[in-house]
Amino acid sequence: MQSQQAARSAVKPSASVSASNLTLPNKSDSVHFAVIGDTGTGSSQQRELGELMSQYHSVFPFDCVLMMGDNIYGGEAAKDYEAKFAQPYKELLDAGVKFHAALGNHDNSNQPSYKNFNMEGKEYYTFKKGGVRFFALNSNYMDQRQLKWLEDELKNSGADWKICFFHHPPYSSGEKHGPSTELRKIIEPLFIKYGVDVVFTGHEHFYERIKPQNGVYYFISGGGGKLRVDGVKPTELTAKSFDKDLHFMLIEIAGNQMYFQAISRVGKTIDSGALTRLNDKKS
């Protein structure tokens, strides 16, 4: 896998990005954000993807990035945070973009204290942007305390859109890991009961959009720094998948529509579309 990925590094990202590269409406009053996962390698490919994200930011001004976990692979000394996070996303950080991290299975429990992950010392937390409430979860340890917290927060959110993001995918067509079925059994009932609209996850080093399950849209975005070539074998659950290069996602929410665009490291749009919120009754 590493040699295949290294060979792809000879292909450089597009030199420039303009508004014509967007499939999103890019309305001034909508919610803009980006999604990445499994990023923390410090590789040249990760840096190239970070540069491309910055170019897209110039035409699609997202102000936050959701991170799906495995934020730092290997050592987690100060130099690692610099090489595997701060440098690859320097232009975005300098522009004031806030990154919001969830913990992956390779992440140290000290990560919530890292300022630029905006976790405020918490392994799970929530924040709001416009009419969207986000819930960052720790899928490594989905204990009763976290489930109680999530239920209370979902019940009292008062948001038009409810979006959860965490590391392990409840649904997946990946050959390496596959779906986290035990996690799905305990967490999906809350998603259904309290009208969660969208779930973003990582763990699998590819992109997959799952067909709606019980009124919820599921995405896997785990190709921000590591790639598992030919790691996904599409199933009846798969709406779209991509496992040939690194990628990131751009998201725009306007009214009851969520627009999405998944973009590869070389600037190719690998998936895009508009999804209508399926949950009409909000708590």
Side-chain angles (χ1 to χ4, degrees):
M1 185 272 291
Q2 293 295 333
S3 61
Q4 288 175 301
Q5 184 171 336
R8 295 177 192 276
S9 66
V11 180
K12 297 300 182 182
S14 173
S16 62
V17 170
S18 68
S20 64
N21 297 107
L22 287 176
T23 65
L24 310 170
N26 202 12
K27 300 176 181 178
S28 60
D29 58 348
S30 57
V31 175
H32 298 56
F33 61 96
V35 175
I36 54 175
D38 301 74
T39 53
T41 61
S43 67
S44 59
Q45 293 92 346
Q46 182 196 4
R47 293 193 298 272
E48 289 166 1
L49 196 71
E51 291 169 6
L52 187 63
M53 290 175 67
S54 181
Q55 291 177 32
Y56 269 92
H57 178 260
S58 68
V59 295
F60 182 77
F62 55 89
D63 57 5
C64 83
V65 179
L66 309 184
M67 302 177 70
M68 301 300 107
D70 284 1
N71 311 304
I72 305 290
Y73 287 103
E76 295 200 18
K79 65 179 181 180
D80 295 300
Y81 282 87
E82 180 69 18
K84 302 169 186 177
F85 176 78
Q87 284 302 315
Y89 310 116
K90 183 179 187 304
E91 292 185 15
L92 293 173
L93 291 167
D94 288 348
V97 176
K98 295 185 70 172
F99 287 71
H100 295 272
L103 293 177
N105 57 294
H106 287 283
D107 292 327
N108 189 292
S109 60
N110 292 326
Q111 282 191 20
S113 299
Y114 178 55
K115 180 180 178 180
N116 285 330
F117 284 169
N118 290 289
M119 302 175 74
E120 299 183 349
K122 302 173 183 177
E123 293 186 0
Y124 45 91
Y125 59 97
T126 181
F127 65 98
K128 190 176 183 181
K129 289 178 56 62
V132 184
R133 171 68 69 174
F134 297 91
F135 305 85
L137 307 179
N138 182 3
S139 58
N140 294 299
Y141 306 104
M142 191 57 64
D143 56 15
Q144 289 301 313
R145 181 178 179 181
Q146 184 176 182
L147 288 170
K148 177 64 165 58
W149 172 89
L150 177 60
E151 182 166 18
D152 290 344
E153 292 292 338
L154 289 172
K155 185 188 305 181
N156 299 312
S157 74
D160 295 329
W161 285 81
K162 299 174 185 177
I163 295 178
C164 293
F165 65 102
F166 48 93
H167 190 59
H168 301 86
Y171 294 93
S172 168
S173 300
E175 289 205 312
K176 174 69 173 180
H177 297 299
S180 298
T181 54
E182 290 304 311
L183 175 66
R184 185 170 74 208
K185 287 178 184 177
I186 61 175
I187 201 170
E188 188 176 50
L190 293 180
F191 295 165
I192 297 170
K193 182 177 181 179
Y194 295 105
V196 169
D197 300 288
V198 187
V199 170
F200 293 103
T201 62
H203 195 43
E204 305 274 26
H205 300 160
F206 53 70
Y207 171 83
E208 186 174 18
R209 173 164 55 91
I210 302 294
K211 295 174 184 177
Q213 301 296 311
N214 300 303
V216 183
Y217 296 111
Y218 289 87
F219 290 84
I220 297 174
S221 183
K226 279 199 171 185
L227 174 66
R228 185 165 290 117
V229 177
D230 298 327
V232 57
K233 299 300 181 185
T235 67
E236 68 279 359
L237 293 175
T238 308
K240 182 72 175 181
S241 64
F242 177 78
D243 57 7
K244 305 306 181 187
D245 205 343
L246 302 183
H247 76 275
F248 69 97
M249 296 184 69
L250 297 176
I251 308 292
E252 179 173 357
I253 294 181
N256 68 346
Q257 295 289 114
M258 187 186 87
Y259 303 89
F260 64 93
Q261 183 176 0
I263 303 164
S264 77
R265 182 182 57 90
V266 295
K268 178 184 177 182
T269 295
I270 57 179
D271 192 20
S272 65
L275 303 175
T276 301
R277 193 176 66 215
L278 298 175
N279 297 303
D280 293 327
K281 295 180 179 179
K282 297 293 169 181
S283 58

